Amino acid sequence: MEDKKINIIQQAIKLFAKKGFSTTSVQEIANECSISKGAFYLHFKSKDELLLAIFTHYSKEIEQKTAAIESMDLDPRTKFVKQLTVTYQEIIKHRDFIIMQIREQAIPFNEDIESFLQQMRFHSYLFYKRSLLAIYGKKIDHSIWEVTLLMQGMFKAYMDLIIIEEVEFDIENLCKAILKRTDYLVEGFNRNDDQPIITDQLMNEIIPEDFYYNQLDTIVHTLEEIKEKASGDIEVTIAVLLEEIQKPSARHAVIKGMLSNLEEEESFKGITGQIRTFFQL
């Protein structure tokens, strides 16, 4: 995203957090950015479009940071704790903006924003599922979706205490504790041979099949854009990766090899994280 757009987003989020979304005018945002109202509309058609850009921008920041951790040489448990920690830290940074969303009923959750939030929920489900499978392996096969949703519930419960009640936790220790409580859930399911309520069938009804296809389309589009600007070994790596991920039976070993090349560059960690999540690598 270009610097001018990022500046508008950063200034707008401060104003929204301070004054509220509805009562902040486009002119005020333009003034804060030292640009004209007309210049604002060159970048965003409306405040609604700006709001969507804010959600997108900050979700990508979290995604890039969790993807950077994904590429580290760590055991799955340590990796997941670090990813949960950085997610909390990023959310806390924007506490005032989140409070504004909670308190202000007039925020226009239009079709585009609703669709974006839905996509983020689906992405979160799959991210948790992949991480938990990496930690527990076959022990969690039959209860994976139930544990995934229960763990996300714990994450949100603590987040409410942090954001709404302003409780201060040691975030890394909190994330370790959440995962320890998840251990109890997994052990309980296995010890009691308990049958989950949230099954593969249920989640397949919730997450539409085209979500997976749309994810791949987005990945392909992003890689093609990167390839146009790349050269040398990076261009070759992306070309091989593009060809492989679009095959009906993509070879995971080849994809992993290409990703290891790209992950040496900080700027590629967002897209490599998306590919790892999609192919469950």
Side-chain angles (χ1 to χ4, degrees):
M1 186 180 291
E2 59 185 273
D3 292 343
K4 288 181 180 179
K5 273 194 169 185
I6 292 174
N7 183 50
I8 293 172
I9 285 171
Q10 290 173 339
Q11 299 309 318
I13 200 170
K14 292 175 186 176
L15 285 171
F16 292 159
K18 183 179 179 181
K19 296 188 60 180
F21 177 84
S22 300
T23 55
T24 300
S25 69
V26 169
Q27 185 63 64
E28 287 173 313
I29 297 170
N31 292 344
E32 201 68 24
C33 299
S34 300
I35 61 174
S36 67
K37 191 173 181 180
F40 171 90
Y41 286 116
L42 288 175
H43 298 287
F44 300 103
K45 295 177 182 177
S46 64
K47 274 202 307 178
D48 289 12
E49 186 176 285
L50 172 59
L51 183 62
L52 177 57
I54 290 171
F55 289 146
T56 302
H57 177 70
Y58 287 111
S59 69
K60 283 186 176 178
E61 283 201 340
I62 293 174
E63 186 180 303
Q64 287 173 351
K65 291 186 177 182
T66 56
I69 295 168
E70 186 67 35
S71 66
M72 294 178 181
D73 185 19
L74 300 169
D75 65 272
R77 191 179 189 93
T78 302
K79 190 178 290 186
F80 195 30
V81 167
K82 285 185 175 294
Q83 290 172 320
L84 293 176
T85 300
V86 79
T87 301
Y88 268 128
Q89 289 170 340
E90 288 300 305
I91 291 170
I92 291 167
K93 278 167 55 176
H94 305 296
R95 178 185 178 274
D96 290 342
F97 178 68
I98 295 169
I99 289 292
M100 179 274 294
Q101 294 175 59
I102 294 170
R103 290 178 176 168
E104 189 170 341
Q105 300 298 315
I107 294 179
F109 272 25
N110 57 41
E111 187 176 329
D112 289 338
I113 292 177
E114 290 286 4
S115 176
F116 171 79
L117 295 177
Q118 182 187 61
Q119 298 297 305
M120 289 301 98
R121 285 200 307 275
F122 294 163
H123 177 80
S124 180
Y125 295 154
L126 295 177
F127 168 71
Y128 272 73
K129 180 184 178 185
R130 179 181 61 78
S131 300
L132 292 174
L133 284 170
I135 294 169
Y136 299 106
K138 292 183 178 180
K139 285 175 61 179
I140 202 174
D141 271 353
H142 77 293
S143 60
I144 180 61
W145 278 120
E146 186 106 349
V147 176
T148 291
L149 272 293
L150 290 171
M151 186 180 187
Q152 285 183 293
M154 284 192 282
F155 184 94
K156 185 180 183 301
Y158 287 114
M159 185 174 71
D160 287 347
L161 288 175
I162 294 168
I163 298 299
I164 300 172
E165 309 299 343
E166 300 186 62
V167 177
E168 293 186 4
F169 292 108
D170 179 310
I171 299 301
E172 186 171 356
N173 284 338
L174 171 61
C175 294
K176 289 178 181 177
I178 291 173
L179 196 49
K180 188 66 178 174
R181 282 140 186 77
T182 306
D183 291 342
Y184 305 151
L185 288 170
V186 175
E187 290 167 10
F189 271 110
N190 290 329
R191 183 173 60 250
N192 299 301
D193 195 26
D194 197 4
Q195 295 305 305
I197 296 171
I198 304 172
T199 61
D200 282 337
Q201 180 180 351
L202 174 63
M203 292 307 294
N204 286 338
E205 291 173 2
I206 292 172
I207 304 176
E209 190 174 346
D210 63 1
F211 172 73
Y212 298 97
Y213 294 117
N214 290 340
Q215 273 194 318
L216 184 58
D217 286 344
T218 301
I219 289 169
V220 168
H221 178 70
T222 302
L223 284 175
E224 287 173 342
E225 286 187 337
I226 295 171
K227 183 174 177 290
E228 286 180 5
K229 301 173 184 176
S231 60
D233 291 343
I234 294 296
E235 184 179 8
V236 173
T237 296
I238 294 172
V240 173
L241 194 53
L242 273 167
E243 181 181 356
E244 193 63 38
I245 66 174
Q246 294 180 84
K247 290 179 178 178
S249 299
R251 294 169 294 177
H252 286 189
V254 174
I255 296 173
K256 284 181 180 179
M258 296 303 102
L259 291 181
S260 66
N261 294 338
L262 291 181
E263 284 166 343
E264 294 177 6
E265 297 280 344
E266 184 72 26
S267 60
F268 295 140
K269 285 180 177 175
I271 184 62
T272 56
Q274 291 179 45
I275 294 169
R276 286 190 180 279
T277 299
F278 181 83
F279 288 100
Q280 303 287 290
L281 300 177

